[in-house]
Amino acid sequence: MIKEQYLQQLWGQLSKVPEPQRRELMFDYEDHFRIAAEHGRSEEEAARELGDPQVIARELMLSYRVVEAENGGGVVRVSKAVLATVGLGFFNLIFVLGPYIALLGVLLAFWAVSVALGILAAGVMYEGIFGQGIPLLQASFMAMTALGIGMLAGVGTHKLTRSVFKITLKYLRFNSRVMGGRDK
Amino acid sequence: MNVQFKKGVLDLCVLALTAWEDRYGYELAVAISSKFEMAVGSVYPLLNRLTVEGYFSTYLRESPEGPPRKYYKLTPLGHSHLMELVSEWNTFTRAVNELIKDGVEQ
């Protein structure tokens, strides 16, 4: 009875993990109850020594999210991995989520600058062709300069974004290694 | 035991237990938790992470008592990682022991 409840709770907590992988994760815990019984221990004892299924689910979710993000970055997956650490403690809320949001803000600002330079180039060209303010030749040089700087900024920001994500995931790994495991 | 101490060396200990023979999860979990005063349930996520990182491979093997059990086997990558960790650990403890000897046991 306790075994069923425990496993069901864990299964429910892991609902975000695709089923084949979830079965694989659950196997260890099913085994645990079974082998504990073979060693003559009650289900209560087995459940108690396993600890809170919610905590176990969080630990498993974190490593699942980190691996998922590593296999194909993207801001959504990396952010999900970062959010998964928050469930593991207050420390992570301040020392992981906080800096991560700050970094995202900085990246967003760089992206905005790159896009703005592109828009500026388009605007100057438009003014050169259809407007009276700037002669066409001058406008094309200005536009080319703005576009050039904008593209450089874009490439730079793209690289920066990649490395921020990579370092974030590395840190999460390091973090989960250091934080992983808890007392009885 | 000091929490910071044990967290750093858990990987090393789990890998070391499997150096010569494959073990099933329960066996590893109980061995680790009895030495480190740590919840058995936390050992499984650790085993899972080490498997995902490629240090372990797993397989099912029949047991005399009943249904098959999931065994953890050290991969070649896991083996070289273990050797690295062991040599780091030895360097580290030697340094600490020397400092203790100089500082505390003079």
Side-chain angles (χ1 to χ4, degrees), chain A residues 51-116:
Chain A
D52 186 355
Q54 199 173 357
V55 179
I56 291 171
R58 283 174 182 164
E59 287 168 349
L60 290 170
M61 277 312 290
L62 174 60
S63 67
Y64 169 71
R65 290 288 190 208
V66 170
V67 170
E68 193 189 41
E70 275 171 347
N71 288 339
V75 66
V76 176
R77 284 188 166 182
V78 177
S79 303
K80 275 186 179 168
V82 170
L83 284 176
T85 64
V86 172
L88 282 174
F90 184 64
F91 175 90
N92 291 335
L93 182 66
I94 294 174
F95 291 97
V96 182
L97 188 63
Y100 178 71
I101 289 176
L103 274 175
L104 278 190
V106 172
L107 287 175
L108 190 68
F110 277 126
W111 278 117
V113 168
S114 317
V115 172

Side-chain angles (χ1 to χ4, degrees), chain B residues 22-84:
Chain B
D22 306 346
R23 293 180 190 272
Y24 54 93
Y26 184 86
E27 206 179 3
L28 288 169
V30 169
I32 292 288
S33 91
S34 68
K35 285 252 197 296
F36 289 109
E37 296 165 2
M38 158 181 178
V40 176
S42 295
V43 181
Y44 295 116
L46 185 73
L47 293 175
N48 176 252
R49 180 170 57 70
L50 292 169
T51 309
V52 170
E53 286 174 358
Y55 300 139
F56 278 135
S57 59
T58 61
Y59 62 92
L60 296 178
R61 192 203 283 167
E62 299 298 325
S63 77
E65 286 98 355
R69 292 170 177 176
K70 183 173 168 185
Y71 275 79
Y72 289 84
K73 180 187 177 64
L74 206 58
T75 62
L77 181 69
H79 192 264
S80 61
H81 185 60
L82 171 61
M83 291 300 122
E84 260 169 54

